Amino acid sequence: MNHHLVLLPVIIPLTGAALALLLGGRGLLGGRRLQRGQGLQGGQGLQAGWALGVMLTSLASSLWLLVQVSRSGQPVVFQAGGWPAPFGISLVGDLLSATLVVMSQAVLAAGIIYALGSQEQAVRYPAFYPLFLTLATGLTGAMLTGDLFNLFVFAELLVFSGTILTAISDDRYGTEAAFKYFYMSLLASAFLLLAVGSLYISYGTLNMADLARRIPANPGAPLLPVAIAMLLATFMIKSAVFPFHFWQPDFHTASPTAVSAMLSSVVVKLGVYGFLRMTSLLFVEQAPAIRALLVGLGVVGVVYGGLGAVGTHNAKRMLAYSTLAQVGFILVAIGWGDRLALAAAIIFTFNHSLIKAAMLMLAGAVASRAPVKTAAFGVVTGLGKSMPATGALFLVGGLALAGIPPTNGFVSKMVLFRSGIEGGQYASLAAVGVASILTLVYVTRAFQRIWWQPPLEGGKAKPTGDSLLAPALLIVAVLALGLWAAPLVELAQATADWLGSPAGYIQAVLGG
Amino acid sequence: MELLTAIAVGALFSIAIFQLLRRNVIRSVIGLVLLSSAINLFLLSTGAYQGLSAAYTDVVGQKSDALPQALILTAIVISMGGIALVLSMLYIVSARYRTSDLDEVKGLRH
């Protein structure tokens, strides 16, 4: 029974998605026109409640997985169909996967809560909740699988769901942005498949543990550098890292708030997960070169994302650019690559997901009360007077994003800078440190525009808007993890230790 | 045979990338279709030359590797779905802008 545990976080949302389609009632089959302002009723309400229940069950199962893994110190491995490891498909829940899955599913559950209280038309789309659950399945599966081709399949599931969820957005440019993203993602899957083929032809296996064992035995395979480059490109597109970033601000601005909060916080972390696996498991010998590249890309991302965020005129777009910068911090930490830096990368990844999801939900909540539904500063300036609660939450979230105590953002930045000092990485640390001031600049600017400036001519906030429950929950988590940071820091350090010894992973999957 | 496949894969890739970069939406989708075919052919070639007889038959001799064929089946299904989705989104976008030129689709330029 124990090794079936790793299946649950994947199976529960997938089954839930299929059943949610049936629960939609007259939604899919009746094809009725959806009208603005219509409340959740009948089949829709049932479907939404079901989706939330499924997501919470799944979150419970992934928490259980994390507890199991961190207690025993050994990953939970499931061999699909009973085929032994290099031949069948393995699902591996090790510390890294389990931590990231708990993070993702917690934020995804908050996303469903936000969607329940959202005024947007998009959440009343009959397939919204089923797609949300398949998005969860794709993300979870991609993090838990131990097989490269399986990773491709789950990543495609993630991309398809994300694309459709954005294409149905209330924003009139949703379809365009989704189209752009989907094109880039098809290219990413092309790169991934090329990497899969190159590795298969060189080493005759696609199991990640088996690859990790065979690559050091034959590091001179002619197609190995090709595979590394292709995998890097794949994960760079997934994480919107600097040269492949251009679709990201459009995509994350145009999607429905509940979805963009997921895309910009947890979905981009798939690439981070990929980089961690590449440098600590698959290509350990080639890791120094990959790390050097990641530090460079990370610094560029931090500076570029920060400047981009300062220069935008839309709160949601600003937060999307800020994701570029924050992912940059994580890449720099992965690039430094020693134990403390890896722990910093994991803490940063975890904390940023919570902060960014909350901030995007708050920006969406402000936009939902704007006269025209947009988060553009030209419209929302001064609207904050009538929503002090949103302002307070936004302020805390903003401080967390900038890394000011007592929030969890402070913890992640502190560990990151300390690891940089201890690792002696002064040049990149200085660049990142200076650029992180930009975070404070754009966050305070947004806060000041929305809450402190006088309202614009004719700018009157609507009396009701999206529910604040989900961002409030996330902000509570942000503060809790800031004040009581020890468990997460210890977990991240244990994970970094685990990543330092790939032999354990290989042995757990292949046995013997 | 190996040389022929290599040339075919290379030619498909170059045509695909050329078409992908065109401004016409239909041509760029054709590029995408060709790209997925090129990749499938590449994946097939990774297992095609291990043996000459078909996998899972009673024929004696070295069997060819069946895994890449299974991978391609999956990849074909996924890319078919993807291309259907791209075409549907293109239909919406090009109907809104009444153009087939991607350079004229510029609602997102701020």
Side-chain angles (χ1 to χ4, degrees), chain A residues 272-291:
Chain A
V272 169
Y273 168 77
F275 290 130
L276 280 169
R277 274 274 180 266
M278 280 180 78
T279 51
S280 70
L281 177 70
L282 287 175
F283 309 116
V284 175
E285 277 183 39
Q286 294 80 6
I290 300 175
R291 291 198 175 117

Side-chain angles (χ1 to χ4, degrees), chain B residues 83-99:
Chain B
I83 285 158
L85 187 55
V86 160
L87 282 173
S88 64
M89 283 191 293
L90 267 182
Y91 173 72
I92 296 171
V93 170
S94 61
R96 179 177 295 159
Y97 289 88
R98 306 202 161 275
T99 176

Side-chain angles (χ1 to χ4, degrees), chain A residues 244-292:
Chain A
F244 299 120
H245 64 282
F246 48 86
W247 54 271
Q248 191 255 26
D250 292 338
F251 185 57
H252 291 178
T253 314
S255 53
T257 306
V259 180
S260 77
M262 302 303 108
L263 294 170
S264 206
S265 60
V266 287
V267 173
V268 292
K269 300 297 161 45
L270 180 57
V272 169
Y273 168 77
F275 290 130
L276 280 169
R277 274 274 180 266
M278 280 180 78
T279 51
S280 70
L281 177 70
L282 287 175
F283 309 116
V284 175
E285 277 183 39
Q286 294 80 6
I290 300 175
R291 291 198 175 117

Side-chain angles (χ1 to χ4, degrees), chain A residues 143-167:
Chain A
M143 284 169 177
L144 283 176
T145 183
D147 181 278
L148 267 187
F149 192 77
N150 212 224
L151 176 77
F152 159 76
V153 175
F154 279 122
E156 285 300 282
L157 186 60
L158 172 71
V159 164
F160 277 56
S161 325
T163 306
I164 303 173
L165 284 173
T166 304

